Amino acid sequence: MSYSVVADSREAEAQDAEVVATLALGARASATMAAATAAGAGAAAVAETGRDPAAAGGRRRVRQASLAVLVLQNASLILSIRYARTQPGPRFLPTTAVVLAELLKGGTCLLLLLLQHRGSMKALGLALHEALVVQRGDTLRLAVPALIYTLQNNLQYVAISNLPAATFQVTYQLKILTTALFSVLLLGKSLSRLQWFSLVLLFLGVASVQAGQAGGAEVGGATAGDASQPSQSYAAGLAAVAASCLSSGFAGVYFERLLKGGAASVWLRNLQLGLFGTALGLLGMWLTDGPAVAHRGFFYAYTPLVWAVVLNQALGGLLVAVVVKYADNILKGFATSLSIVASTAASVGLFGFRPDPPFLLGASLVLAAVYLYSLPRSGPGQGDKAPGPQAPLGPQPPGPETGVGKAPEKEKGS
């Protein structure tokens, strides 16, 4: 893969401004679609009771808005991180971005909890005291997924910095496989034959993509003698995305088990995760980049584009959590497929990515696998246990905010 080299600083600023403008437009569109989703949900509820047949169109609008929001969030986060991490010049420290995203997510969840208690600080304080102090054992159990999610978020930055955006997007779908396997092993869930078949397709598709990429040493990074481009290592990126998929599957299933074992809201759980995530993120930042942060500052090389990345990672997952409430599994699978197509198409223009036949074959198998895995199970012969796990979408930045009341995979991060 090849990348356009920015000729001078003015052109680089112009490109960053264009990308930020695009992300801002996508954010406005997401907000508008979220509003349409909320409005359409009421209409859909009325339609379900049969009182207002005309409101059936509202349900369609809800699904369309949900699809658009999911695709935008899934694709934009990967592309924006990749763009920010591969531009010439000083690069921001990913560990600071992880900490900042955790703080923003925690603050947002705290605000949502305040709204749930109708703006009463006293009621919120009592609820937090009950959850964090009285039931501190329950809160401490969240330290395990928080540690994994923090590690996962940092691994995602490593992976996206070293792999083409389209390759990362396809390979990251292995999280479906790891989530399914951990759900079978830890939760005792059963999978249908179609789901097992889709997992085999998924593995073959990712293997095809990796075989094609490994065949060429070029991953779109710096070429020999081109010191202006950040150095990249395909092996490091592949190892990071593999570890991220493994940790994502385990943390998502572990978090699902905790959610099913208690009555706490998903916002409270995310706040608890955020507390541990912030503390662990700060520890990781100090161990990894402590001298660099002390010398250059926490916000070193933060541009409008970097702030857009952090906001997308922090708030995008929470927005998707609301939208997914109105989306079924088929729609989520379709959104994942569209986000892969969108990331690949955008990578051609932004990064000069050129998909080869193995990539196209592998991506097609992954798209088919995602769709087949998301199909509902039918018939009593499929097993009497709970339905098979549905892995949450997208790189997100990583975490439980990608689902409401069940174990989403975090983009925790994010």
Side-chain angles (χ1 to χ4, degrees):
M1 175 169 74
S2 61
Y3 292 86
S4 301
V5 179
V6 180
D8 51 43
S9 59
R10 292 183 180 179
E11 185 177 350
E13 292 174 358
Q15 287 187 1
D16 284 349
E18 180 181 354
V19 173
V20 172
T22 303
L23 291 173
L25 179 61
R28 289 191 214 103
S30 296
T32 304
M33 293 164 193
T37 298
V46 175
E48 287 178 354
T49 62
R51 298 175 186 172
D52 187 3
R59 191 167 190 175
R60 287 193 297 272
R61 289 193 294 272
V62 168
R63 290 174 58 83
Q64 292 169 355
S66 299
L67 176 63
V69 171
L70 289 172
V71 173
L72 276 174
Q73 203 279 333
N74 285 343
S76 64
L77 179 62
I78 303 303
L79 292 170
S80 57
I81 291 178
R82 178 66 179 172
Y83 188 89
R85 294 289 294 168
T86 56
Q87 291 305 292
R91 295 200 292 178
F92 69 99
L93 300 172
T95 52
T96 64
V98 170
V99 171
L100 194 56
E102 289 297 325
L103 287 172
L104 290 174
K105 278 191 291 188
T108 302
C109 289
L110 192 62
L111 178 60
L112 291 171
L113 287 171
L114 180 62
L115 293 176
Q116 281 187 350
H117 290 85
R118 300 181 179 181
S120 172
M121 295 294 295
K122 181 178 180 180
L124 176 61
L126 291 175
L128 293 179
H129 180 269
E130 174 70 20
L132 302 178
V133 179
V134 177
Q135 301 182 16
R136 53 184 174 274
D138 184 58
T139 298
L140 288 174
R141 285 199 295 271
L142 288 169
V144 174
L147 173 62
I148 298 174
Y149 284 137
T150 303
L151 174 64
Q152 178 189 344
N153 291 335
N154 285 282
L155 287 172
Q156 282 189 328
Y157 275 102
V158 175
I160 299 173
S161 299
N162 290 280
L163 294 177
T167 302
F168 171 84
Q169 185 82 317
V170 172
T171 308
Y172 191 59
Q173 300 313 309
L174 281 176
K175 65 185 179 182
I176 299 175
L177 174 62
T178 59
T179 301
L181 293 179
F182 280 119
S183 294
V184 171
L185 295 174
L186 300 182
L187 299 182
K189 290 189 175 182
S190 63
L191 301 181
S192 67
R193 291 187 181 90
L194 182 61
Q195 287 177 317
W196 282 114
F197 174 71
S198 68
L199 293 178
V200 173
L201 276 185
L202 177 67
F203 180 81
L204 293 176
V206 172
S208 176
V209 169
Q210 295 306 323
Q213 294 291 317
E218 169 69 27
V219 297
T223 56
D226 183 6
S228 64
Q229 292 285 356
S231 60
Q232 299 175 50
S233 169
Y234 189 86
L238 185 58
V241 73
S244 182
C245 288
L246 187 65
S247 61
S248 173
F250 176 79
V253 171
Y254 186 94
F255 189 72
E256 178 179 357
R257 192 169 184 173
L258 290 181
L259 280 179
K260 289 184 175 180
S265 72
V266 70
W267 307 124
L268 177 59
R269 289 304 193 193
N270 273 278
L271 176 61
Q272 292 170 315
L273 281 173
L275 293 175
F276 285 113
T278 300
L280 293 169
L282 286 170
L283 177 61
M285 182 187 71
W286 178 69
L287 293 175
T288 306
D289 299 316
V293 173
H295 177 68
R296 302 173 181 174
F298 186 92
F299 297 105
Y300 173 73
Y302 268 60
T303 65
L305 177 58
V306 176
W307 280 106
V309 168
V310 173
L311 289 174
N312 192 353
Q313 188 172 30
L315 305 181
L318 296 177
L319 173 63
V320 172
V322 178
V323 173
V324 164
K325 183 177 181 180
Y326 305 103
D328 56 25
N329 289 327
I330 296 178
L331 187 70
K332 289 188 287 183
F334 191 43
T336 301
S337 301
L338 283 181
S339 67
I340 293 174
V341 174
S343 295
T344 302
S347 295
V348 173
L350 286 174
F351 311 120
F353 179 71
R354 295 294 180 266
D356 53 16
F359 177 90
L360 294 176
L361 173 62
S364 299
L365 291 176
V366 169
L367 295 180
V370 170
Y371 175 75
L372 292 175
Y373 189 84
S374 65
L375 290 177
R377 302 171 64 177
S378 59
Q382 296 297 344
D384 54 0
K385 295 184 181 180
Q390 301 297 335
L393 298 177
Q396 305 262 109
E401 67 268 22
T402 55
V404 175
K406 61 181 183 182
E409 200 174 342
K410 209 179 169 200
E411 237 245 274
K412 186 192 182 291
S414 157

XYZ file of all heavy atoms in Angstrom, residues 144-239:
701
model
N -11.306 -6.428 36.405
C -10.779 -7.371 35.410
C -11.099 -6.921 33.985
O -10.189 -6.748 33.166
C -11.310 -8.797 35.672
C -10.870 -9.743 34.557
C -10.822 -9.300 37.018
N -12.393 -6.701 33.629
C -12.653 -6.224 32.263
C -12.072 -4.843 31.998
O -11.682 -4.541 30.871
C -14.184 -6.225 32.161
C -14.679 -6.187 33.558
C -13.657 -6.925 34.365
N -12.006 -3.988 33.032
C -11.437 -2.649 32.835
C -9.969 -2.747 32.428
O -9.505 -2.022 31.537
C -11.577 -1.825 34.111
N -9.227 -3.645 33.091
C -7.821 -3.853 32.746
C -7.691 -4.342 31.308
O -6.848 -3.856 30.543
C -7.187 -4.859 33.713
C -5.762 -5.304 33.384
C -4.810 -4.119 33.419
C -5.307 -6.399 34.358
N -8.552 -5.297 30.928
C -8.485 -5.858 29.577
C -8.870 -4.808 28.542
O -8.238 -4.703 27.483
C -9.389 -7.092 29.469
C -8.900 -8.177 30.435
C -9.400 -7.629 28.044
C -9.813 -9.384 30.511
N -9.915 -4.043 28.821
C -10.343 -3.018 27.872
C -9.282 -1.937 27.691
O -9.071 -1.434 26.596
C -11.654 -2.384 28.334
C -12.864 -3.238 28.101
C -13.847 -3.366 29.079
C -13.043 -3.928 26.908
C -14.971 -4.150 28.868
C -14.160 -4.713 26.693
C -15.120 -4.821 27.674
O -16.233 -5.591 27.466
N -8.623 -1.548 28.782
C -7.561 -0.553 28.679
C -6.416 -1.074 27.822
O -5.880 -0.354 26.962
C -7.041 -0.184 30.080
O -8.120 0.298 30.880
C -5.973 0.899 29.982
N -6.037 -2.324 28.048
C -5.016 -2.948 27.212
C -5.471 -3.005 25.762
O -4.704 -2.706 24.835
C -4.719 -4.359 27.734
C -3.776 -5.224 26.884
C -2.388 -4.596 26.835
C -3.720 -6.647 27.443
N -6.739 -3.374 25.551
C -7.274 -3.483 24.198
C -7.245 -2.153 23.467
O -6.908 -2.083 22.282
C -8.702 -4.015 24.257
C -9.384 -4.138 22.907
C -10.858 -4.465 23.051
O -11.309 -4.875 24.114
N -11.615 -4.260 21.993
N -7.602 -1.092 24.150
C -7.609 0.228 23.512
C -6.216 0.638 23.048
O -6.048 1.204 21.965
C -8.161 1.273 24.483
C -9.643 1.081 24.737
O -10.359 0.522 23.913
N -10.103 1.518 25.886
N -5.225 0.357 23.891
C -3.853 0.672 23.490
C -3.384 -0.209 22.344
O -2.685 0.251 21.435
C -2.923 0.525 24.699
C -3.043 1.678 25.688
O -2.507 2.760 25.477
N -3.760 1.443 26.771
N -3.803 -1.478 22.358
C -3.437 -2.388 21.275
C -4.061 -1.947 19.951
O -3.443 -2.095 18.884
C -3.886 -3.809 21.612
C -3.082 -4.551 22.680
C -3.763 -5.864 23.040
C -1.654 -4.808 22.202
N -5.258 -1.413 19.998
C -5.906 -0.956 18.770
C -5.123 0.180 18.116
O -5.001 0.228 16.894
C -7.335 -0.506 19.053
C -8.299 -1.672 19.200
C -9.741 -1.226 19.268
O -10.031 -0.148 19.768
N -10.643 -2.048 18.779
N -4.598 1.084 18.921
C -3.781 2.159 18.359
C -2.529 1.590 17.698
O -2.119 2.041 16.629
C -3.398 3.158 19.449
C -4.437 4.218 19.696
C -5.301 4.142 20.783
C -4.567 5.308 18.840
C -6.257 5.112 21.022
C -5.514 6.281 19.070
C -6.366 6.189 20.163
O -7.316 7.138 20.368
N -1.918 0.596 18.351
C -0.728 -0.030 17.763
C -1.080 -0.702 16.447
O -0.373 -0.564 15.434
C -0.113 -1.050 18.744
C 1.048 -1.799 18.089
C 0.366 -0.345 20.012
N -2.200 -1.441 16.446
C -2.595 -2.176 15.239
C -2.929 -1.233 14.092
O -2.456 -1.418 12.957
C -3.793 -3.075 15.554
N -3.727 -0.203 14.359
C -4.150 0.713 13.295
C -2.979 1.542 12.792
O -2.942 1.942 11.628
C -5.298 1.615 13.791
C -6.504 0.758 14.174
C -5.703 2.632 12.721
C -7.621 1.532 14.841
N -2.003 1.792 13.653
C -0.829 2.558 13.233
C 0.072 1.757 12.300
O 0.871 2.335 11.561
C -0.004 2.994 14.456
O -0.774 3.829 15.308
N -0.076 0.429 12.307
C 0.825 -0.419 11.520
C 0.149 -1.222 10.421
O 0.833 -1.853 9.618
C 1.558 -1.393 12.451
C 2.570 -0.710 13.346
O 3.680 -0.396 12.928
N 2.186 -0.444 14.588
N -1.183 -1.214 10.394
C -1.912 -1.954 9.369
C -2.772 -1.000 8.544
O -3.280 -0.004 9.085
C -2.830 -3.007 10.011
C -2.179 -4.167 10.755
C -3.266 -5.058 11.369
C -1.295 -4.979 9.828
N -2.957 -1.295 7.252
C -3.914 -0.526 6.465
C -5.293 -0.576 7.120
O -5.668 -1.605 7.706
C -3.916 -1.236 5.108
C -2.596 -1.937 5.049
C -2.280 -2.339 6.455
N -6.035 0.521 7.029
C -7.337 0.592 7.691
C -8.258 -0.532 7.248
O -8.950 -1.150 8.071
C -7.979 1.950 7.417
N -8.292 -0.817 5.947
C -9.174 -1.874 5.438
C -8.748 -3.243 5.961
O -9.587 -4.064 6.332
C -9.176 -1.863 3.910
N -7.445 -3.496 6.007
C -6.945 -4.776 6.523
C -7.283 -4.937 7.991
O -7.704 -6.009 8.442
C -5.423 -4.866 6.321
O -5.115 -4.723 4.934
C -4.881 -6.195 6.829
N -7.122 -3.870 8.777
C -7.479 -3.930 10.187
C -8.965 -4.197 10.348
O -9.379 -5.025 11.166
C -7.114 -2.623 10.892
C -7.645 -2.537 12.300
C -6.943 -3.109 13.349
C -8.859 -1.918 12.564
C -7.436 -3.061 14.639
C -9.367 -1.859 13.847
C -8.642 -2.430 14.888
N -9.791 -3.497 9.573
C -11.242 -3.640 9.703
C -11.681 -5.076 9.438
O -12.544 -5.613 10.136
C -11.939 -2.683 8.728
C -13.451 -2.642 8.852
C -13.904 -1.733 9.968
O -13.334 -1.732 11.052
N -14.926 -0.949 9.705
N -11.096 -5.707 8.431
C -11.457 -7.092 8.112
C -10.923 -8.045 9.187
O -11.648 -8.905 9.702
C -10.903 -7.494 6.728
C -11.112 -8.984 6.480
C -11.590 -6.682 5.634
N -9.653 -7.888 9.542
C -9.033 -8.798 10.506
C -9.679 -8.686 11.883
O -9.825 -9.687 12.603
C -7.525 -8.505 10.624
O -6.945 -8.507 9.325
C -6.826 -9.544 11.486
N -10.118 -7.488 12.235
C -10.698 -7.262 13.564
C -12.018 -8.004 13.744
O -12.494 -8.160 14.872
C -10.887 -5.760 13.791
C -11.222 -5.407 15.223
C -10.346 -5.743 16.250
C -12.393 -4.725 15.541
C -10.642 -5.418 17.558
C -12.697 -4.398 16.850
C -11.820 -4.747 17.862
O -12.113 -4.431 19.164
N -12.618 -8.468 12.652
C -13.853 -9.233 12.780
C -13.613 -10.593 13.428
O -14.572 -11.302 13.770
C -14.520 -9.402 11.413
C -14.899 -8.098 10.742
C -15.609 -7.133 11.670
O -16.586 -7.502 12.324
N -15.127 -5.901 11.734
N -12.348 -10.968 13.631
C -12.058 -12.185 14.386
C -12.585 -12.102 15.812
O -12.687 -13.114 16.509
C -10.549 -12.457 14.417
C -9.942 -13.095 13.173
C -8.439 -13.212 13.327
C -10.549 -14.470 12.900
N -12.930 -10.886 16.256
C -13.520 -10.746 17.591
C -14.834 -11.520 17.675
O -15.241 -11.960 18.766
C -13.761 -9.275 17.913
C -14.799 -8.620 17.015
C -14.931 -7.144 17.287
C -15.980 -6.536 16.328
N -16.114 -5.098 16.525
N -15.536 -11.696 16.545
C -16.756 -12.501 16.539
C -16.428 -13.940 16.919
O -17.129 -14.577 17.709
C -17.430 -12.444 15.151
C -17.827 -11.008 14.804
C -18.647 -13.357 15.105
C -18.397 -10.862 13.403
N -15.336 -14.450 16.355
C -14.912 -15.822 16.652
C -14.533 -15.974 18.114
O -14.976 -16.922 18.791
C -13.735 -16.193 15.747
C -13.067 -17.548 16.001
C -14.049 -18.680 15.788
C -11.847 -17.717 15.097
N -13.718 -15.056 18.642
C -13.284 -15.183 20.039
C -14.452 -15.002 20.997
O -14.545 -15.699 22.016
C -12.180 -14.152 20.354
O -12.670 -12.823 20.132
C -10.959 -14.379 19.482
N -15.365 -14.071 20.684
C -16.534 -13.874 21.540
C -17.405 -15.127 21.558
O -17.899 -15.546 22.619
C -17.362 -12.675 21.051
O -16.551 -11.495 21.058
C -18.572 -12.446 21.951
N -17.601 -15.737 20.386
C -18.409 -16.950 20.308
C -17.781 -18.082 21.118
O -18.465 -18.776 21.881
C -18.579 -17.364 18.849
N -16.479 -18.276 20.969
C -15.805 -19.368 21.678
C -15.843 -19.168 23.194
O -16.114 -20.107 23.947
C -14.355 -19.482 21.197
C -14.172 -19.920 19.737
C -12.689 -19.964 19.374
C -14.822 -21.283 19.494
N -15.593 -17.934 23.646
C -15.645 -17.675 25.087
C -17.078 -17.803 25.620
O -17.285 -18.204 26.772
C -15.084 -16.290 25.412
C -13.575 -16.246 25.448
C -12.865 -15.432 24.582
C -12.872 -17.018 26.348
C -11.477 -15.390 24.604
C -11.479 -16.987 26.389
C -10.787 -16.163 25.517
N -18.074 -17.463 24.800
C -19.465 -17.606 25.229
C -19.829 -19.072 25.410
O -20.554 -19.434 26.330
C -20.408 -16.956 24.199
O -20.231 -15.567 24.155
N -19.323 -19.911 24.526
C -19.570 -21.348 24.648
C -18.858 -21.912 25.874
O -19.428 -22.693 26.647
C -19.123 -22.084 23.367
C -19.169 -23.592 23.561
C -20.004 -21.677 22.184
N -17.610 -21.494 26.079
C -16.801 -22.063 27.161
C -17.195 -21.530 28.538
O -17.244 -22.288 29.506
C -15.316 -21.767 26.908
C -14.693 -22.426 25.667
C -13.270 -21.941 25.467
C -14.721 -23.949 25.805
N -17.482 -20.212 28.629
C -17.716 -19.593 29.936
C -19.193 -19.457 30.291
O -19.540 -19.486 31.471
C -17.054 -18.212 29.981
C -15.531 -18.186 29.763
C -15.006 -16.764 29.875
C -14.823 -19.097 30.762
N -20.045 -19.278 29.291
C -21.466 -19.076 29.566
C -22.315 -20.287 29.214
O -23.510 -20.297 29.475
C -21.983 -17.847 28.787
C -21.323 -16.502 29.110
C -21.969 -15.394 28.299
C -21.424 -16.197 30.599
N -21.707 -21.285 28.566
C -22.460 -22.471 28.219
C -23.461 -22.269 27.111
O -24.447 -23.007 27.011
N -23.258 -21.285 26.273
C -24.182 -21.030 25.177
C -23.959 -22.039 24.056
O -22.897 -22.652 23.953
C -23.999 -19.611 24.641
C -24.482 -18.548 25.610
C -24.491 -17.175 24.964
C -25.080 -16.132 25.891
N -25.131 -14.800 25.268
N -24.978 -22.187 23.231
C -24.868 -23.101 22.097
C -24.954 -22.316 20.803
O -25.610 -21.273 20.746
C -25.979 -24.154 22.137
O -27.245 -23.538 22.028
N -24.293 -22.804 19.774
C -24.319 -22.169 18.461
C -24.994 -23.107 17.470
O -24.868 -24.326 17.567
C -22.897 -21.853 17.984
C -22.040 -20.944 18.861
C -20.678 -20.735 18.214
C -22.723 -19.610 19.105
N -25.695 -22.509 16.529
C -26.322 -23.304 15.487
C -25.268 -23.763 14.477
O -24.145 -23.253 14.454
C -27.408 -22.489 14.773
O -26.813 -21.426 14.040
N -25.642 -24.739 13.648
C -24.716 -25.191 12.614
C -24.356 -24.056 11.677
O -23.203 -23.956 11.219
C -25.346 -26.342 11.822
C -25.499 -27.636 12.596
C -25.960 -28.764 11.690
N -26.135 -30.009 12.416
C -27.275 -30.384 12.985
N -28.338 -29.586 12.906
N -27.362 -31.537 13.614
N -25.316 -23.190 11.379
C -25.052 -22.061 10.488
C -24.029 -21.109 11.097
O -23.151 -20.584 10.394
C -26.349 -21.315 10.180
C -26.237 -20.125 9.215
C -25.715 -20.591 7.852
C -27.579 -19.421 9.067
N -24.115 -20.907 12.398
C -23.158 -20.017 13.058
C -21.758 -20.621 13.070
O -20.770 -19.913 12.858
C -23.636 -19.715 14.479
C -24.825 -18.763 14.520
C -25.325 -18.524 15.932
O -25.435 -19.455 16.726
N -25.626 -17.282 16.250
N -21.668 -21.935 13.308
C -20.351 -22.570 13.243
C -19.776 -22.468 11.831
O -18.577 -22.211 11.654
C -20.452 -24.041 13.665
C -20.547 -24.258 15.143
C -21.595 -24.756 15.841
C -19.534 -23.958 16.122
N -21.315 -24.793 17.189
C -20.052 -24.325 17.385
C -18.249 -23.429 16.062
C -19.332 -24.178 18.568
C -17.529 -23.281 17.239
C -18.060 -23.644 18.476
N -20.630 -22.659 10.841
C -20.182 -22.545 9.456
C -19.699 -21.124 9.162
O -18.674 -20.926 8.496
C -21.320 -22.920 8.510
C -21.001 -22.709 7.052
C -20.090 -23.533 6.390
C -21.596 -21.673 6.342
C -19.785 -23.327 5.046
C -21.295 -21.460 4.999
C -20.386 -22.293 4.348
N -20.419 -20.133 9.679
C -20.018 -18.743 9.446
C -18.681 -18.437 10.114
O -17.876 -17.658 9.584
C -21.097 -17.787 9.967
O -21.190 -17.822 11.376
N -18.405 -19.054 11.258
C -17.122 -18.842 11.929
C -15.969 -19.431 11.119
O -14.869 -18.857 11.072
C -17.145 -19.458 13.327
C -18.102 -18.805 14.341
C -18.064 -19.551 15.663
C -17.765 -17.335 14.534
N -16.222 -20.580 10.479
C -15.203 -21.165 9.601
C -14.945 -20.240 8.413
O -13.795 -19.980 8.037
C -15.636 -22.564 9.119
C -14.653 -23.094 8.077
C -15.737 -23.524 10.295
N -16.037 -19.718 7.817
C -15.887 -18.764 6.714
C -15.096 -17.540 7.154
O -14.254 -17.018 6.419
C -17.267 -18.325 6.207
C -17.995 -19.199 5.196
C -19.274 -18.503 4.749
C -17.107 -19.513 3.995
N -15.404 -17.063 8.353
C -14.716 -15.885 8.891
C -13.218 -16.137 8.982
O -12.398 -15.303 8.553
C -15.285 -15.546 10.265
C -14.630 -14.384 11.015
C -14.891 -13.074 10.304
C -15.151 -14.321 12.446
N -12.838 -17.270 9.534
C -11.419 -17.590 9.686
C -10.743 -17.694 8.319
O -9.631 -17.165 8.118
C -11.255 -18.905 10.454
C -9.828 -19.308 10.662
C -9.082 -18.749 11.682
C -9.216 -20.237 9.839
C -7.755 -19.109 11.886
C -7.901 -20.600 10.021
C -7.168 -20.035 11.043
N -11.392 -18.355 7.366
C -10.812 -18.495 6.029
C -10.673 -17.136 5.352
O -9.684 -16.877 4.655
C -11.681 -19.426 5.174
C -11.725 -20.898 5.605
C -12.694 -21.674 4.736
C -10.332 -21.519 5.564
N -11.655 -16.274 5.543
C -11.588 -14.949 4.937
C -10.437 -14.118 5.474
O -9.690 -13.493 4.715
N -10.281 -14.121 6.794
C -9.175 -13.367 7.396
C -7.836 -13.960 6.965
O -6.877 -13.228 6.679
C -9.308 -13.365 8.931
C -8.062 -12.760 9.577
C -10.548 -12.597 9.355
N -7.758 -15.299 6.888
C -6.519 -15.947 6.448
C -6.170 -15.544 5.022
O -5.000 -15.305 4.685
C -6.653 -17.466 6.559
N -7.179 -15.435 4.156
C -6.937 -15.021 2.773
C -6.402 -13.593 2.708
O -5.467 -13.291 1.966
C -8.229 -15.136 1.963
O -8.051 -14.656 0.640
N -6.999 -12.712 3.504
C -6.533 -11.319 3.537
C -5.089 -11.252 4.007
O -4.253 -10.552 3.419
C -7.443 -10.467 4.445
C -6.818 -9.098 4.702
C -8.818 -10.302 3.822
N -4.773 -11.983 5.069
C -3.416 -11.940 5.606
C -2.411 -12.559 4.642
O -1.273 -12.087 4.533
C -3.365 -12.670 6.954
C -4.188 -12.015 8.035
C -3.834 -10.558 8.222
O -2.681 -10.162 8.123
N -4.850 -9.738 8.479
N -2.825 -13.609 3.929
C -1.911 -14.224 2.960
C -1.566 -13.238 1.856
O -0.406 -13.137 1.426
C -2.551 -15.481 2.369
N -2.560 -12.488 1.398
C -2.310 -11.497 0.353
C -1.432 -10.360 0.836
O -0.524 -9.910 0.139
N -1.668 -9.909 2.071
C -0.877 -8.804 2.610
C 0.552 -9.245 2.908
O 1.502 -8.505 2.691
C -1.538 -8.270 3.890
C -2.876 -7.613 3.660
C -2.755 -6.305 2.916
O -1.884 -5.484 3.186
N -3.625 -6.104 1.939
N 0.684 -10.465 3.426
C 2.026 -10.946 3.753
C 2.849 -11.190 2.503
O 4.081 -11.162 2.534
C 1.932 -12.249 4.563
N 2.165 -11.411 1.384
C 2.894 -11.645 0.138
C 3.643 -10.434 -0.339
O 4.638 -10.533 -1.062
N 3.184 -9.256 0.066
C 3.892 -8.033 -0.310
C 4.369 -7.332 0.943
O 3.622 -7.169 1.894
N 5.596 -6.935 0.984
C 6.147 -6.310 2.189
C 5.577 -4.924 2.411
O 5.586 -4.404 3.506
C 7.675 -6.227 2.091
N 5.062 -4.301 1.356
C 4.554 -2.936 1.450
C 3.223 -2.908 2.171
O 2.282 -3.598 1.813
C 4.367 -2.375 0.033
C 3.603 -1.058 -0.022
C 4.370 0.082 0.568
O 5.606 0.039 0.554
O 3.735 1.020 1.049
N 3.131 -2.153 3.239
C 1.879 -1.982 3.949
C 1.437 -0.538 3.920
O 0.583 -0.116 4.659
C 1.989 -2.459 5.424
C 2.287 -3.909 5.472
C 3.027 -1.665 6.192
N 2.038 0.232 3.092
C 1.594 1.602 2.973
C 2.294 2.549 3.907
O 1.861 3.656 4.099
N 3.343 2.147 4.510
C 4.046 3.007 5.433
C 5.229 3.665 4.772
O 5.286 3.911 3.596
N 6.214 3.943 5.548
C 7.377 4.627 5.038
C 8.178 3.706 4.148
O 8.331 2.529 4.389
C 8.226 5.103 6.215
N 8.675 4.238 3.103
C 9.550 3.487 2.224
C 10.980 3.797 2.587
O 11.277 4.752 3.286
C 9.281 3.864 0.758
O 9.443 5.280 0.631
C 7.869 3.489 0.348
N 11.872 2.976 2.096
C 13.271 3.182 2.426
C 13.725 4.550 1.968
O 13.478 4.969 0.857
C 14.104 2.086 1.754
N 14.347 5.262 2.843
C 14.849 6.576 2.501
C 13.825 7.679 2.649
O 14.122 8.829 2.394
N 12.591 7.347 3.039
C 11.559 8.360 3.220
C 11.344 8.574 4.707
O 10.521 7.924 5.334
C 10.251 7.907 2.560
C 9.158 8.969 2.660
O 9.461 10.075 3.135
O 8.016 8.673 2.269
N 12.128 9.464 5.270
C 12.086 9.685 6.712
C 10.872 10.481 7.146
O 10.578 10.579 8.332
C 13.367 10.405 7.165
N 10.147 11.103 6.180
C 9.005 11.929 6.546
C 7.815 11.102 6.992
O 6.948 11.590 7.704
C 8.587 12.817 5.364
O 8.135 12.024 4.281
N 7.751 9.833 6.588
C 6.629 8.980 6.948
C 6.967 8.172 8.192
O 8.076 7.676 8.336
C 6.307 8.025 5.788
C 5.749 8.713 4.549
C 4.303 9.118 4.747
O 3.696 8.824 5.763
N 3.755 9.836 3.788
N 5.991 8.032 9.121
C 6.239 7.216 10.316
C 6.531 5.769 9.937
O 5.948 5.233 9.005
C 4.918 7.329 11.094
C 4.233 8.538 10.546
C 4.655 8.635 9.106
N 7.474 5.154 10.655
C 7.806 3.765 10.376
C 6.663 2.857 10.812
O 5.944 3.147 11.766
C 9.093 3.378 11.112
O 8.920 3.528 12.510
N 6.490 1.750 10.099
C 5.412 0.812 10.387
C 5.937 -0.612 10.321
O 6.845 -0.911 9.560
C 4.260 0.990 9.389
C 3.626 2.377 9.430
C 2.583 2.552 8.353
O 1.703 1.714 8.201
N 2.669 3.631 7.598
N 5.327 -1.472 11.130
C 5.695 -2.881 11.161
C 4.425 -3.716 11.016
O 3.556 -3.695 11.901
C 6.411 -3.231 12.478
O 6.540 -4.633 12.621
N 4.321 -4.441 9.903
C 3.127 -5.249 9.673
C 3.003 -6.344 10.732
O 1.900 -6.633 11.209
C 3.180 -5.884 8.279
C 1.897 -6.547 7.873
C 0.872 -5.822 7.281
C 1.691 -7.905 8.099
C -0.323 -6.425 6.915
C 0.502 -8.519 7.745
C -0.496 -7.778 7.153
O -1.687 -8.378 6.800
N 4.127 -6.949 11.119
C 4.100 -8.012 12.129
C 3.584 -7.481 13.468
O 2.773 -8.135 14.142
C 5.496 -8.614 12.292
N 4.047 -6.281 13.857
C 3.585 -5.692 15.114
C 2.094 -5.383 15.057
O 1.358 -5.618 16.029
C 4.374 -4.417 15.412
N 1.633 -4.883 13.916
C 0.216 -4.582 13.766
C -0.632 -5.836 13.825
O -1.701 -5.848 14.467
N -0.177 -6.906 13.175
C -0.931 -8.160 13.163
C -0.990 -8.770 14.562
O -2.040 -9.263 15.005
C -0.286 -9.132 12.188
C -1.020 -10.457 11.950
C -2.429 -10.202 11.434
C -0.241 -11.330 10.973
N 0.140 -8.735 15.285
C 0.150 -9.263 16.650
C -0.774 -8.457 17.558
O -1.491 -9.012 18.404
C 1.579 -9.242 17.201
